[in-house]
Amino acid sequence: MLSKDDHASAQNHARVPIAAAIIALAAGGFGIGTTEFAIMGLLQNVAEGLQISIPQSGQLISAYALGVVVGAPVLAALGARLPHKHMALGLMALFTVGNLSSVLAPDFGSMLATRFISGLPHGAYFGVAAVIAASLVAPSKRPRAVAAVMLGLAVANVVGVPLVTWLGQNYGWRLMFVAVGVIGAITLLLIQRFVPFRPAHAEASMRRELRALKRIQVWLALLIGVVGFGGFFAVYSYISPTMTDVAGLPESALPLVVGLYGLGMVAGNILGGRLAERSVMGSIYQVMTAIVCVLAIFWVVADFAVLAVAMVFLIGVAGSSLIPGLQTRLMDASPDAQTLAASLNHSALNMANALGAFLGGAVISAGWGYKAPALVGAGLAVLGLAVAVISGLLERKAKAPARSGTDAALPDRKVPGSR
């Protein structure tokens, strides 16, 4: 049975601006991006507060990432029968409770648990938010709508992360979770007010969603994210020591570097959405090629401070430009299981984070220096581009018999000038 609010939302859909609904969904992305990245700047404060080592506090980041990887497919499948609006509300409620529970976590073990719980709705929320946003606009505008939802994540790196990091450093690190909890609560109100209600598909089911896992194009798209985006993370994971030890910047300049990276993400998200509107696969080819070039150039110019800083901005642009096209590609590859497919994108990106950080750290530990991850990243991006090309070729091959069959069924037509 629909609630009174849901009836009103459905009846007033025509009067609710699409922009308001997308901003409401993007607000959730803003909160998710803030909690995911702000803790990286507060690791020392967390370690002191919980009386653990900094490497131990780093496990809180891993616990969140593990929650994303596990939660995306599980929650997307379990919520298959729910109307998308209700699913978005439920996931944001879980996110809010998970972050607020971190405020009260008394020790390291309980903090690990709350961070894992906070990560569970991350991927599934972005998945269902992307599906909702795409359903509100014309088919040709879907990539831009998806990019607008993802813009919340990018803006978090420019506004939310610096602000909450400052708040945690000056007034106590647990306030970070209070702030994120407030953002989550505001998002719940915005979604309830502005996102229109639509009943779940009559044939929606967990089995229907799991069909996405049977499609080779879904797995290839995920592999593009894991390998190709892994190249991006190989560099960004070690950007601080690279900029100080290689480029020679003082530590005081690092906030500027991180801010430029965040601005690059915002610009890249917008650019990626517009490129994908022209051609989804074309945008993936273009962006993967750009990532290869940007990372290779960064390896060359990392010794020069001004050029290195400029390349950090371009790294943010190139990396973020991939997300809208990849998100849309996954939805296209599984049209009858879009929520699960779109959710898996964020599992893939968190696996890319782990892969890139591991390989980048491996070459640094081998004594190759802080510039080496850029070459590793460029190599991973080349592999990601190769996977994208294979995906495109397989798709064209699959469509060829259908086109041939259609052509064969048409009556013979005389070519002008023939007898």
Side-chain angles (χ1 to χ4, degrees):
M1 183 177 293
L2 302 185
S3 68
K4 182 178 179 180
D5 287 340
D6 286 334
H7 276 299
S9 179
Q11 293 169 359
N12 296 328
H13 172 42
R15 296 196 296 270
V16 176
I18 292 174
I22 292 178
I23 290 172
L25 296 168
F30 180 81
I32 289 173
T34 299
T35 197
E36 181 179 16
F37 294 106
I39 195 170
M40 297 176 185
L42 294 170
L43 283 184
Q44 186 172 351
N45 306 78
V46 174
E48 292 174 357
L50 295 177
Q51 297 182 338
I52 58 177
S53 67
I54 291 179
Q56 275 184 295
S57 65
Q59 294 177 25
L60 297 174
I61 299 174
S62 300
Y64 183 91
L66 180 61
V68 177
V69 173
V70 172
V74 172
L75 294 181
L78 290 176
R81 291 182 177 274
L82 292 176
H84 287 149
K85 178 177 179 176
H86 289 176
M87 186 175 178
L89 287 168
L91 292 168
M92 188 47 55
L94 176 59
F95 171 80
T96 302
V97 170
N99 277 278
L100 290 178
S101 63
S102 294
V103 179
L104 305 175
D107 52 35
F108 177 61
S110 57
M111 184 63 75
L112 273 177
T114 60
R115 289 303 290 167
F116 176 79
I117 292 170
S118 298
L120 287 173
H122 176 131
Y125 176 82
F126 276 121
V128 71
V131 172
I132 293 173
S135 71
L136 297 175
V137 299
S140 62
K141 300 295 183 184
R142 289 181 309 130
R144 192 176 299 194
V146 171
V149 170
M150 298 302 301
L151 192 60
L153 183 63
V155 172
N157 282 276
V158 181
V159 180
V161 173
L163 180 61
V164 170
T165 300
W166 174 84
L167 182 69
Q169 289 174 336
N170 289 277
Y171 298 101
W173 59 270
R174 289 184 188 269
L175 285 179
M176 180 195 87
F177 301 110
V178 175
V180 172
V182 170
I183 295 171
I186 292 173
T187 301
L188 284 168
L189 295 175
L190 292 174
I191 292 175
Q192 179 60 35
R193 172 67 181 85
F194 293 112
V195 173
F197 174 84
R198 291 178 179 175
H201 193 284
E203 298 179 5
S205 67
M206 182 184 298
R207 179 177 296 180
R208 179 186 173 95
E209 287 292 325
L210 290 176
R211 288 177 189 169
L213 301 179
K214 296 181 179 180
R215 297 184 169 94
I216 184 64
Q217 290 293 357
V218 169
W219 287 105
L220 288 174
L222 293 174
L223 189 57
I224 294 170
V226 172
V227 180
F229 218 72
F232 164 81
F233 279 116
V235 174
Y236 187 67
S237 297
Y238 303 96
I239 200 66
S240 294
T242 303
M243 299 307 290
T244 55
D245 293 11
V246 179
L249 291 176
E251 288 189 10
S252 60
L254 290 179
L256 171 63
V257 173
V258 174
L260 282 173
Y261 161 77
L263 289 173
M265 284 191 67
V266 173
N269 199 276
I270 296 171
L271 175 63
R274 296 188 177 185
L275 289 175
E277 279 186 1
R278 299 177 183 176
S279 170
V280 173
M281 284 305 297
S283 74
I284 293 175
Y285 298 148
Q286 293 166 0
V287 172
M288 290 305 310
T289 302
I291 292 175
V292 173
C293 295
V294 167
L295 295 183
I297 294 171
F298 182 70
W299 176 75
V300 175
V301 306
D303 297 289
F304 306 95
V306 175
L307 293 176
V309 170
M311 293 309 301
V312 168
F313 173 78
L314 293 178
I315 288 172
V317 173
S320 188
S321 295
L322 179 64
I323 297 176
L326 202 56
Q327 189 88 55
T328 306
R329 173 64 174 170
L330 280 164
M331 293 164 63
D332 290 344
S334 189
D336 58 346
Q338 290 189 337
T339 303
L340 177 60
S343 299
L344 287 171
N345 189 32
H346 299 275
S347 293
L349 296 183
N350 274 267
M351 292 175 69
N353 192 347
L355 175 66
F358 171 76
L359 293 179
V363 293
I364 292 172
S365 298
W368 293 5
Y370 286 116
K371 291 176 62 174
L375 284 182
V376 172
L380 287 173
V382 169
L383 292 177
L385 177 59
V387 175
V389 170
I390 292 171
S391 175
L393 291 174
L394 288 177
E395 184 175 57
R396 290 177 62 184
K397 184 177 179 180
K399 290 181 177 179
R403 286 197 298 266
S404 299
T406 302
D407 293 342
L410 294 175
D412 291 336
R413 296 177 180 177
K414 291 186 177 180
V415 178
S418 64
R419 296 181 179 180

